[in-house]
Amino acid sequence: MDHRGLAPDGTIAREGSLEQVPAEFAAVVEALRVHVAGTFARLHSAYLYGSIPRGTAVPGVSDLDVLLALHNEPTDADCAAARRIEDALDRAFPQINGAGIQLASARMLLSDAERHDGGFFVACLCTPLLGDDLAEHLPRYRPTSLLARETNGDLRTLLPGWRERAQTATDHERRTLSRSVARRLVRTGFTLVMPRWGGWTSDLARSAELFGRYYPERLEQMRTAAQTAREPTADPAILAMLIDDLGPWLAAEYTATHGERAPRP
């Protein structure tokens, strides 16, 4: 891929590969493979995403991010099984700062409604680990306004829930919330400018700097968001800045630029 994350034909290149997994995380990935294969009889395919398959993971800091595509809709039992695997991996491997396993049906990921959200996520941001790769049934993606709208055009709907959680959160809960909020804001800030820049990156620090080329007056706030995404904080002032200032502005600017994400069934 080129410096803008694009393939020679101008489409977004797939991030990551199993060959890029750092040696410190190889045992984690193998244990995940064994757990998943032995647990989910209805598994269609399993994927890694995030810093581990991109080769940028830091031992003791980075988490393990996983997507499991099932042949049918996930059940409560499937969710419980995923939580047990998360806990087992987190206890066994100090090099990960937690494990997160998402569940979805293959049908949903390939649906028209998810073509430019879940489908894009699988095709460009996920690294196949087990099973048949769903990306073979998905299109090649370009950094368009349509992709921006469908991936992050729902920020406005998330803000009330974040505010409600922040009002009663403990220090531990604020740290957890600050990380998820900050990650979402940085990714939304990047996709806001993605079509103008003409490329793709998942690097949070780079995303913040690219955003700042077009919105210099908000760059310091976005830099703070990128830092918080890497190093969560319980500071109420930072969380308030993200949720009550940067967030609402970004949601309004996003809607004005790209529109809101299409409703899901």
Side-chain angles (χ1 to χ4, degrees):
M1 71 176 73
D2 67 10
H3 73 287
R4 292 178 187 258
L6 301 178
D9 65 355
T11 59
I12 297 172
R14 194 174 212 171
E15 294 183 334
S17 69
L18 295 182
E19 289 72 28
Q20 292 178 248
V21 173
E24 298 91 336
F25 295 91
V28 184
V29 173
E30 183 56 30
L32 169 69
R33 188 198 308 269
V34 172
H35 276 294
V36 170
T39 300
F40 292 94
R42 299 185 300 113
L43 181 74
H44 176 280
S45 47
Y47 306 84
L48 300 175
Y49 65 96
S51 61
I52 291 180
R54 292 202 304 268
T56 60
V58 178
V61 176
S62 299
D63 47 7
L64 175 68
D65 296 310
V66 182
L67 171 67
L68 302 183
L70 306 182
H71 282 290
N72 304 107
E73 295 300 320
T75 64
D76 290 343
D78 293 325
C79 294
R83 302 294 85 79
R84 288 194 295 270
I85 294 174
E86 290 174 348
D87 292 341
L89 293 172
D90 197 23
R91 288 195 305 269
F93 297 101
Q95 57 266 54
I96 60 171
N97 184 23
I101 300 176
Q102 293 191 49
L103 300 173
S105 70
R107 178 200 60 77
M108 184 274 287
L109 293 169
L110 294 177
S111 68
D112 290 342
E114 290 294 332
R115 182 59 53 89
H116 288 86
D117 190 9
F120 165 73
F121 177 65
V122 170
C124 295
L125 308 186
C126 286
T127 295
L129 179 66
L130 289 167
D132 296 328
D133 186 6
L134 288 171
E136 296 177 2
H137 306 285
L138 291 163
R140 301 302 301 270
Y141 295 87
R142 296 179 183 274
T144 63
S145 183
L146 171 62
L147 183 63
R149 184 180 74 235
E150 292 305 302
T151 52
N152 289 296
D154 59 343
L155 179 60
R156 179 185 60 81
T157 67
L158 301 176
L159 293 170
W162 289 345
R163 290 193 187 99
E164 184 175 350
R165 289 173 59 189
Q167 288 173 358
T168 59
T170 64
D171 280 356
H172 173 72
E173 290 168 340
R174 272 197 296 272
R175 279 190 290 271
T176 300
L177 181 61
S178 73
R179 185 182 195 186
S180 61
V181 168
R183 282 184 171 186
R184 185 57 182 268
L185 292 183
V186 175
R187 288 168 180 159
T188 302
F190 167 69
T191 52
L192 171 63
V193 305
M194 173 187 66
R196 280 178 276 180
W197 180 60
W200 178 269
T201 182
S202 287
D203 182 273
L204 295 175
R206 190 182 189 202
S207 294
E209 297 305 313
L210 290 169
F211 164 86
R213 293 184 185 181
Y214 304 90
Y215 297 96
E217 72 281 7
R218 292 278 178 171
L219 175 56
E220 288 307 315
Q221 286 185 324
M222 195 61 78
R223 283 174 172 166
T224 298
Q227 179 67 22
T228 302
R230 294 189 299 271
E231 300 176 12
T233 177
D235 187 342
I238 290 180
L239 196 56
M241 181 276 288
L242 295 175
I243 296 175
D244 297 324
D245 188 355
L246 180 59
W249 173 84
L250 185 56
E253 184 69 13
Y254 210 93
T255 298
T257 303
H258 300 301
E260 293 190 358
R261 189 174 77 161
R264 298 299 190 261

